[in-house]
Amino acid sequence: MNGNERLNGARQALTGAEALLASGEFRGCVSRCYYAVYQAMWAAVGNPEKKPRWEHFGLMSTFVRGKWRNPAMSIQGPGLLEGQRFALRRLYDLRLGADYRLDNVTHKDAE
């Protein structure tokens, strides 16, 4: 699957998330939001070198590091997109709670 196909998948997941938010299905909304971000990050960084698919934290770390955007970026110190790490981790945690623990997800969480 190429980057454009992954971006299309991300857009579809986001459209689904918006519909779920509008209908009050906040757990489903969080899940679709996370997968929209996951597919968009994958489109940005490309395919993993040694595995058929990205693992969640590996993809987040690679995305935040930013070498896909600036190949000269050092592998030490904060990443180019370090400011996004907390939000990505928060969304991942919300998705785990929504999908596996069936946590209560509020409208505010889903937004």
Side-chain angles (χ1 to χ4, degrees):
M1 188 174 298
N2 67 37
N4 286 331
E5 292 170 317
R6 292 213 176 273
L7 279 178
N8 285 335
R11 286 183 192 102
Q12 289 174 354
L14 185 57
T15 297
E18 290 168 339
L20 289 164
L21 179 65
S23 68
E25 299 291 335
F26 304 137
R27 281 192 197 103
C29 174
V30 164
S31 185
R32 292 295 81 209
C33 280
Y34 175 76
Y35 282 106
V37 169
Y38 180 87
Q39 292 298 329
M41 287 190 299
W42 192 332
V45 303
N47 291 325
E49 294 179 17
K50 298 179 182 179
K51 295 183 178 185
R53 67 174 178 79
W54 281 103
E55 294 181 10
H56 298 271
F57 288 122
L59 178 56
M60 281 187 237
S61 292
T62 300
F63 179 79
V64 167
R65 171 67 36 213
K67 283 186 79 64
W68 57 273
R69 185 150 187 224
N70 178 0
M73 187 69 194
S74 172
I75 61 168
Q76 296 189 4
L80 186 64
L81 301 170
E82 196 63 43
Q84 299 302 312
R85 187 181 301 273
F86 178 79
L88 292 170
R89 180 58 194 256
R90 170 89 171 117
L91 183 56
Y92 176 77
D93 288 343
L94 280 170
R95 199 262 321 168
L96 287 180
D99 287 348
Y100 298 111
R101 296 186 304 268
L102 301 180
D103 291 350
N104 182 42
V105 176
T106 68
H107 186 266
K108 183 178 178 181
D109 292 332
E111 285 185 311

